[in-house]
């Protein structure tokens, strides 16, 4: 009888490329506190937020102790230019000190120049709807680059223009909310032009090195019925508008693609027009915000966007108070990143959102995205178990096989890791 070939299993860890950037991301208004000149103050104030303005050394020490080799953060325009044309040197010095500290700890620094908030004076003049804002932004960028540039390795010009337009003009949950198609279009075009100006300014000062990109919110789309023409059309149109349009408007001004991945949407034909259904909670885990956990979507968007330039996952994370869910999230999503790399996608880094719990915009402080828990009464930081899991993955530059094995078995990642740490 012919012998059955012996089955071979690969029990090695899922390794990532050498030099892969591992870190977490934050944005200034969401963590710093005390940003009294920002437009959000009159809408929904973050107050002291996570008090990172004062506690940044503690936060960066923590990230270091958790093996992160890279960190993404933003600077707050309203702090640096609280009134038109007047730059606050003391606040610039603050950022110099903070960035120097990150460099002292050997982090590769990714810095975002604009992340959601505007100085009140810019908002009063119409915010991004006003073409002049591009000029104000360019002046701010040209002022700040020479002051802090030596401490920055990778630049993000603007964060998620599409989400900004969506939250301001479509669901109208953010400041300056209004119903205006023209406003939407102008805002998107002005943000595209702001990106291009910042790209140019950065390359004038740093012709070589210091890659520049932006962070785009990308989503994975699927047709509920594979053979429905209208559902497939909805998938294609949404892919074009949400995932590709901004890159198209800013073609030739990206040294890398920065992608923020949170959402998977299925289009289902219910009435005349296919509608997004995001309610498969029974079969998929969801976050505390009801967002579906769908790791495969990360592979799909990476494959969809793969081009001849590097990709950084500039944000990916889950709001949950169930930290074991965050563990599974991390392992499953990173497994997809690794699959994408094996399939030839040039992914160079992963930034978990977020390092610490923070102000989740109009949703306030309830959603807990942090690897590190923040007690908002005392500002005490406590790393969650998931911070250790992520740290273990980073240490090995890969996902250890025994962590991977757990995904399908409902075993608490926490307990296995405890054994590993005690070994
Ligand atoms: C934004 C962050 C936000 C996160 C979670 C991204 O859209 O860049 O500011 O906190 O998603 O919602």
């Amino acid at each position: 009888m012919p012998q059955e070939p012996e089955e071979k299993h690969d029990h090695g860890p899922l390794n990532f490329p050498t030099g892969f950037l591992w870190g977490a991301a934050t944005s200034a208004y969401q963590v710093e506190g005390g940003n009294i000149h920002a437009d959000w103050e009159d809408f929904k104030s973050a107050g002291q937020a996570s008090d990172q303005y004062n506690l940044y050394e503690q936060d960066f020490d923590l990230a270091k102790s958790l093996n992160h080799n890279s960190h993404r953060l933003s600077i707050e325009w309203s702090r640096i230019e609280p009134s038109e044309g007047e730059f606050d040197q003391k606040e610039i010095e603050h950022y110099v000190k903070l960035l120097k500290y990150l460099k002292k700890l050997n982090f590769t620094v990714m810095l975002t120049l604009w992340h959601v908030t505007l100085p009140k004076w810019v908002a009063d003049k119409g915010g991004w709807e006003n073409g002049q804002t591009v000029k104000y932004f360019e002046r701010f960028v040209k002022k700040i680059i020479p002051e802090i540039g030596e401490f920055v390795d990778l630049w993000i010009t603007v964060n998620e223009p599409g989400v900004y337009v969506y939250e301001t003009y479509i669901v109208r949950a953010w400041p300056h909310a209004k119903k205006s198609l023209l406003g939407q279009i102008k805002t998107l075009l002005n943000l595209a032009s702001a990106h291009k100006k910042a790209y140019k300014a950065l390359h004038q000062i740093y012709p070589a090195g210091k890659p520049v990109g932006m962070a785009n919110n990308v989503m994975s789309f699927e047709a509920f019925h594979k053979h429905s023409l209208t559902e497939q059309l909805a998938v294609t149109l949404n892919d074009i508008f949400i995932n590709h349009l901004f890159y198209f408007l800013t073609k030739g001004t990206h040294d890398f693609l920065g992608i923020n991945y949170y959402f998977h949407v299925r289009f289902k034909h219910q009435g005349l027009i296919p509608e997004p259904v995001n309610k498969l909670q029974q079969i998929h885990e969801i976050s505390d915000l009801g967002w579906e956990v769908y790791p495969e979507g990360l592979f799909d968007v990476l494959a969809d966007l793969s081009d001849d330039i590097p990709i950084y996952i500039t944000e990916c994370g889950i709001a949950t108070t169930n930290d074991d869910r965050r563990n599974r999230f991390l392992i499953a999503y990173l497994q997809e990143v690794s699959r994408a790399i094996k399939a030839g996608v040039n992914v160079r880094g992963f930034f978990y959102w977020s390092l610490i719990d923070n102000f989740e915009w109009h949703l306030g402080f309830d959603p807990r995205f942090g690897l590190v828990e923040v007690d908002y009464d005392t500002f005490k930081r406590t790393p969650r178990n998931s911070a250790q899991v992520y740290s273990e993955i980073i240490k090995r530059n890969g996902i250890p096989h025994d962590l991977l094995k757990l995904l399908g078995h409902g075993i608490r990642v926490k307990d296995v890791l405890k054994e590993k740490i005690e070994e």
Side-chain angles (χ1 to χ4, degrees), residues 27 30 72 115-116 159-160 163 174 217 260 262 289 291 315 353 358-361 369:
S27 90
Q30 292 177 274
R72 175 179 173 221
H115 197 124
V116 177
N159 183 74
E160 297 188 347
V163 171
W174 283 7
N217 175 68
N260 296 355
Y262 293 96
L289 295 174
W291 302 357
E315 280 180 42
W353 182 274
N358 59 55
F359 176 72
E360 179 56 20
W361 305 118
F369 276 96

Side-chain angles (χ1 to χ4, degrees), residues 52-307:
Q52 194 183 68
Y53 187 80
N54 298 306
L55 301 177
Y56 67 86
E57 291 194 1
Q58 223 187 89
D59 290 343
F60 300 160
D61 286 347
L62 261 174
K64 187 75 197 170
S65 74
L66 293 166
N67 295 323
H68 298 198
N69 58 25
S70 186
H71 188 63
R72 175 179 173 221
L73 74 166
S74 75
I75 48 174
E76 176 64 29
W77 182 4
S78 66
R79 198 182 265 291
I80 296 169
E81 193 181 355
S83 47
E84 186 171 353
E86 283 174 26
F87 293 91
D88 187 333
Q89 205 53 40
K90 205 176 89 269
E91 297 296 356
I92 295 179
E93 281 314 310
H94 167 80
Y95 284 117
V96 168
K97 248 177 35 206
L98 175 151
L99 291 167
K100 265 191 183 160
Y101 195 72
L102 277 171
K103 290 316 282 179
K104 193 177 118 195
L105 296 177
N106 254 328
F107 282 102
T108 297
V109 175
M110 180 182 273
L111 190 95
T112 311
L113 293 165
W114 177 77
H115 197 124
V116 177
T117 53
L118 286 170
K120 280 183 191 169
W121 65 266
V122 176
D124 289 345
K125 289 168 183 276
W128 284 114
E129 244 184 84
N130 176 3
Q132 283 294 106
T133 297
V134 177
K135 295 213 169 71
Y136 303 141
F137 182 67
E138 190 185 5
R139 180 178 58 190
F140 158 68
V141 168
K142 285 188 168 160
K143 165 76 184 163
I144 200 70
I145 306 171
E147 306 261 8
I148 60 171
E150 62 178 297
F151 312 112
V152 177
D153 303 289
L154 296 140
W155 300 92
I156 297 285
T157 55
V158 297
N159 183 74
E160 297 188 347
V163 171
Y164 186 79
V165 168
Y166 176 78
E167 296 288 0
T168 310
Y169 295 93
I170 299 172
V171 291
R172 297 189 285 283
W174 283 7
H176 330 300
K178 63 166 101 130
K179 211 174 182 168
S180 159
L181 183 61
L182 189 64
Q184 271 180 57
I185 298 171
K186 280 196 204 159
T187 298
L188 197 72
L189 293 178
N190 288 335
L191 278 161
S193 142
H195 162 80
K196 289 195 272 188
K197 297 266 190 237
Y199 181 90
K200 205 165 143 219
L202 283 159
H203 277 298
Q204 262 161 9
I205 304 184
Y206 301 108
K210 312 238 183 212
V212 184
M214 51 83 63
N216 205 15
N217 175 68
V218 297
M219 293 160 79
S220 83
F221 299 106
E222 203 185 322
F224 198 86
H225 306 99
K226 292 283 171 276
H227 302 297
S228 158
L229 217 63
T230 47
E231 288 176 11
Q232 290 292 3
L233 190 65
V235 167
T236 307
L237 290 177
N238 276 278
D239 182 41
I240 292 174
F241 279 105
I242 293 177
N243 296 341
H244 295 275
L245 179 65
F246 199 81
Y247 294 129
F248 173 74
L249 294 173
T250 52
K251 214 169 167 11
T253 56
H254 298 268
D255 302 324
F256 61 86
L257 300 183
I259 68 165
N260 296 355
Y261 173 70
Y262 293 96
F263 297 105
H264 173 64
V265 175
R266 290 176 186 81
F267 286 101
K268 191 173 180 188
H269 206 119
Q270 323 220 65
L272 262 184
I273 299 169
E275 282 172 30
V277 283
N278 190 14
K279 301 248 177 310
L280 293 188
Q281 278 97 335
Q282 299 89 335
I283 52 165
H284 287 275
E285 284 197 290
I286 52 162
S287 77
D288 290 355
L289 295 174
W291 302 357
E292 182 186 343
V293 173
Y294 190 73
E296 299 90 324
L298 181 52
F299 177 90
D300 294 344
V301 294
L302 287 170
D304 177 30
L305 288 157
S306 176
D307 207 339

